[in-house]
Amino acid sequence: MRRIGTLSDPTKARRFTDYLFTQSIECNLDIEKTTESGPQTGDNTNGEVTAGDYQCHLWIRDEEQVDRAREELAAFRADPDAEKFRVASEAESLRKKKASDAQRKKQLVKKVQHRTPGGMSGGGLSRIGARQQTIPVVITIIVLSVLASFSTGFDRPQRSLIPGEPSSEETLRNALTFVEPSDYLIDGDPYASIKKGEVWRLVTPIFLHGNTFHLAFNMMALFFLGSAIERIEGSVFLAVLFIASAIVGTLFQVSLPPESALPPILHGLAGSHSSIGASGGVIGLFGYLWIRPMLSNSYPIDISPSNVAFLLGYLVICIFFLDHIANGAHIGGLFMGMLAAVVIAKAFPGRFP
């Protein structure tokens, strides 16, 4: 919080704070009355002040709005009676609307019967309201991912003891990857199997993972993010959002140029025909929860700025400093989730006004 200046007239000070409020600038007004025995300070913002000498201190909450607030203060001092500053009724209406939104959020929070661990600890998610208590889609994705990952040897299937015959792990893995290895070897086309009609390969790589850490990390993130969305938006919505984000992420990863076509600094953005994992879908959920509350004041979920910065920083580190990461899937999934948030907010403006 930063003080931008003082005014001597409490009435005009309130007029200025009302104006800032209509400009979406949060300003705290601290009125200090100066007497012969010294200054006496109190929270007088709602009281009536009619006489005496005063110092009305103006404090801006958001550091990024300080410069603009100072410009507005200079304009106000030059002409405090200008018509644009006479917005008391508009400010009052906005305050009532804000109070109504806050009450609506409070009512949504009261509906919570079960909270995710992140919500209870005040960590990644907050204000998690629930419309349904069960999370069948999240549980199903976790179960399928665990079964598929272990059944395929975490992308390193055990070889068959019979020469020339694939093992059960190899057969299953080859059936679930984005492209059948034998199809890819023909002409290097990552879409070869899908062009043959094997469209399930758009989805099945989501459930494969490269190692236990890869699996555990994605499933924990899915549980925290996915369970929150499923309780608020419903199971069908979560399933569509997750699968769409994962598919877009996979397609983006597969479509990126090979490492040989990129400069060394951009090798982290190289494409791969064997992209696996749920991270594209998971980061799509993150993108949705990041953008959705910005577009709907009463949306009962948000992600703290520190966690947003952490995840975005993690994505940058993966691109420039870590090897063998499907960064294209991360980027594609993130943008799909963000786009979904914008589309849903525009299509259903009254759902969370």
Side-chain angles (χ1 to χ4, degrees):
M1 187 176 290
R2 182 86 68 87
R3 191 180 72 162
I4 62 169
T6 61
L7 294 170
S8 59
D9 186 336
T11 300
K12 291 182 178 180
R14 291 196 181 93
R15 183 187 303 166
F16 181 64
T17 57
D18 282 346
Y19 171 73
L20 289 184
F21 188 76
T22 64
Q23 302 301 306
S24 301
I25 300 176
E26 292 286 340
C27 177
N28 283 2
L29 175 60
D30 183 16
I31 301 177
E32 178 181 339
K33 182 177 181 180
T34 303
T35 65
E36 294 181 358
S37 60
Q40 297 177 344
T41 305
D43 183 9
N44 302 327
T45 57
N46 294 320
E48 293 296 331
V49 182
T50 58
D53 297 325
Y54 300 91
Q55 285 187 328
C56 306
H57 304 284
L58 304 166
W59 299 84
I60 302 301
R61 292 186 180 182
D62 189 342
E63 189 74 18
E64 295 181 355
Q65 296 178 327
V66 167
D67 291 340
R68 183 187 171 196
R70 283 176 172 161
E71 293 175 0
E72 296 288 2
L73 179 59
F76 182 80
R77 282 173 170 159
D79 187 7
D81 295 319
E83 186 64 28
K84 79 170 189 175
F85 295 117
R86 297 183 176 277
V87 292
S89 59
E90 181 182 348
E92 181 64 21
S93 297
L94 288 173
R95 287 191 176 97
K96 289 180 179 179
K97 183 179 184 302
K98 186 175 181 180
S100 177
D101 289 342
Q103 182 63 26
R104 189 181 297 111
K105 291 177 183 178
K106 185 177 180 180
Q107 291 173 351
L108 284 171
V109 171
K110 287 181 179 179
K111 294 180 181 179
V112 177
Q113 300 297 326
H114 300 284
R115 291 175 178 262
T116 63
M120 290 189 293
S121 66
L125 300 176
S126 62
R127 303 199 318 265
I128 300 179
R131 296 198 173 194
Q132 68 176 50
Q133 297 180 11
T134 58
I135 50 172
V137 172
V138 169
I139 298 303
T140 298
I141 294 172
I142 291 175
V143 170
L144 290 176
S145 297
V146 170
L147 291 176
S149 298
F150 277 93
S151 299
T152 56
F154 287 96
D155 206 36
R156 289 181 294 275
Q158 191 174 34
R159 295 295 183 87
S160 174
L161 298 177
I162 303 175
E165 291 189 10
S167 66
S168 59
E169 288 187 358
E170 288 176 315
T171 300
L172 182 59
R173 178 195 178 279
N174 293 344
L176 299 180
T177 54
F178 188 79
V179 60
E180 164 73 41
S182 60
D183 291 338
Y184 182 73
L185 289 175
I186 295 175
D187 57 7
D189 183 3
Y191 296 95
S193 298
I194 293 175
K195 290 176 180 178
K196 290 168 53 178
E198 299 174 357
V199 293
W200 68 82
R201 295 181 184 272
L202 291 169
V203 177
T204 51
I206 299 170
F207 306 110
L208 303 177
H209 290 80
N211 52 57
T212 53
F213 175 79
H214 187 203
L215 174 65
F217 183 85
N218 280 343
M219 294 305 100
M220 286 191 294
L222 170 65
F223 179 75
F224 291 133
L225 299 172
S227 59
I229 295 178
E230 187 166 8
R231 286 170 177 156
I232 292 296
E233 303 278 13
S235 298
V236 174
F237 181 89
L238 172 69
V240 172
L241 176 63
F242 176 80
I243 293 174
S245 298
I247 290 176
V248 170
T250 299
L251 293 177
F252 190 66
Q253 174 67 31
V254 170
S255 300
L256 287 173
E259 187 175 290
S260 59
L262 297 172
I265 193 173
L266 296 180
H267 280 180
L269 293 175
S272 171
H273 69 279
S274 58
S275 176
I276 60 173
S279 55
V282 169
I283 294 180
L285 303 183
F286 166 84
Y288 183 84
L289 289 180
W290 175 25
I291 300 301
R292 190 69 168 88
M294 298 181 186
L295 304 175
S296 301
N297 292 331
S298 63
Y299 196 75
I301 303 176
D302 62 16
I303 299 180
S304 68
S306 60
N307 284 314
V308 172
F310 173 80
L311 190 133
L312 295 180
Y314 169 75
L315 295 182
V316 172
I317 290 172
C318 287
I319 292 173
F320 295 105
F321 301 104
L322 299 180
D323 296 326
H324 309 298
I325 303 293
N327 294 304
H330 295 168
I331 295 171
L334 176 63
F335 278 98
M336 182 60 202
M338 295 168 64
L339 177 62
V342 174
V343 171
I344 294 299
K346 298 296 183 182
F348 304 99
R351 181 168 168 80
F352 295 100

